[in-house]
């Protein structure tokens, strides 16, 4: 009997990290990676940076080439959309009607850009989430933004009208969970998971789509950060293998090695972004804070630090313009929520020490 596959749905940062970790972790059975975009897994942050201003072409965004993917022995389904999942039998439905019974499933479908009603019917209105969207926007910008039809007019309902050559809708995102209709899954603001990234037995989630119980912060969190996608992809894969190791012979372990145990996923949240020539970096949680204290460290160098608090504890720190060495020192301070005053002192010492 052929072993059932593990399927990873979503062929981007989290899905790729999960697929690679499954092989590293000893999964010898079939491994299916399903992605609805036609492209090999690519990196999204440069879409709004190097790709958009023309410094990079799409091939530089690839996370792996075909040659680098080959050793994984993937059943790679690009341009294929998962349309349903039966949780009890771990059976995926793909567009075209194929049904795929799985040993385990990792869901890494990310988020999609929010849009406005009717926007898809107006030329010159763009969103920026995928490579194709970024290329379309770049091409229109290169043509001076003019579609030749006189541009776009925004406004209405008694408000003023603002004619524009081009409109970029940057109004947030929506977790890609609409295809998960099984009532065994909670899909309110992402796919709800426990601290092991498990949404149900044998079904795990990772990356932008996953809302999981963060064991340190004690509440469900969902991050749309590039580094979290990779780390959580690996964690979900490890925990799925640990779950399957007692039941599925396709999970290989080194001789005499004890069966791996599932581990809670407890990262120190981190993100970076470049706003023109200014680097922003943050550790911990900034959303949901009830207190923020900003300090200008160096006006000429545009170095600013902001400490975020919640319920009397410091939970996050955001820095603009700080060199990496000084940023890393902040990580240790914010790894677990500290009483506000203690965190302030330690942050002050960490930034002065640099
Ligand atoms: C323009 C831009 C700039 C960014 N800049 C930064 C930055 O500076 N710093 C930072 O930390 N993060 C940044 N991010 C966020 C970062 O890119 C994401 O956190 C990361 O891509 C999440 O990876 P993921 O694999 O979870 O999801 P995604 O990258 O969203 O990938 C999900 C994939 O699943 C596919 N999919 C969805 N539904 C289905 C389905 N039903 N069947 C099959 N496939 C499906 C999607 O098409 C997509 O290919 C940026 C994102 C964008 C768009």
């Amino acid at each position: 009997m052929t072993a059932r596959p593990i399927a990873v749905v979503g062929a981007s940062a989290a899905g790729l990290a999960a697929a690679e970790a499954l092989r590293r972790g000893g999964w010898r059975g079939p491994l299916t990676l399903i992605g609805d975009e036609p492209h090999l897994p690519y990196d999204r942050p440069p879409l709004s940076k190097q790709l958009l201003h023309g410094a990079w072409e799409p091939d530089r965004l690839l996370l792996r080439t075909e040659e680098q993917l080959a050793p994984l022995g993937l059943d790679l389904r690009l341009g294929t959309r998962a349309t349903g999942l039966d949780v009890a039998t771990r059976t995926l439905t793909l567009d075209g009607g194929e049904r795929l019974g799985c040993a385990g499933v990792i869901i890494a479908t990310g988020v999609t850009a929010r849009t406005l009603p009717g926007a898809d019917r107006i030329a010159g209105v763009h969103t920026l989430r995928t490579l194709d969207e970024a290329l379309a926007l770049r091409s229109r910008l290169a043509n001076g933004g003019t579609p030749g039809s006189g541009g776009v007019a925004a406004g209405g309902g008694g408000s003023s009208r603002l004619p524009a050559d081009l409109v970029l809708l940057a109004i947030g995102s929506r977790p890609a969970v609409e295809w998960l209709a099984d009532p065994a899954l909670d899909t309110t603001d992402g796919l709800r998971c426990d601290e092991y990234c498990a949404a149900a037995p044998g079904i795990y989630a990772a990356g932008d789509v996953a809302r999981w119980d963060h064991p340190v912060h004690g509440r469900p969190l969902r991050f749309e950060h590039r580094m979290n996608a990779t780390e959580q992809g690996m964690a979900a894969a490890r925990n799925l293998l640990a779950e399957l190791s007692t039941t599925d012979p396709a999970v290989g372990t080194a001789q005499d090695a004890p069966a791996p145990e599932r581990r809670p996923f407890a990262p120190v949240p981190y993100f970076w972004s470049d706003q023109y020539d200014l680097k922003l970096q943050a550790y911990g949680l900034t959303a949901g804070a009830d207190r923020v204290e900003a300090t200008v460290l160096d006006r000429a160098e545009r170095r600013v630090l902001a400490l975020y608090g919640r319920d009397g504890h410091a939970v996050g720190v955001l820095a603009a313009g700080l060199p990496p060495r000084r940023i890393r020192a902040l990580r240790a301070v914010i790894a677990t929520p500290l009483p506000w005053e203690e965190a302030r002192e330690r942050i002050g010492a960490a930034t002065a020490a640099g």
Side-chain angles (χ1 to χ4, degrees), residues 10 12-14 36-37 44 49 82 109-110 129 207-208 225-226 272:
S12 184
D36 62 358
E37 293 184 72
R44 256 169 244 280
K49 306 174 182 81
T109 47
R129 180 73 199 172
D208 286 13
H225 301 160
R226 175 64 183 81
W272 87 98

Side-chain angles (χ1 to χ4, degrees), residues 196-219:
Y196 302 104
C197 309
I203 294 169
Y204 289 70
D208 286 13
V209 75
R211 190 162 67 94
W212 92 107
D213 286 330
H214 194 298
V216 174
H217 291 280
R219 60 193 164 107

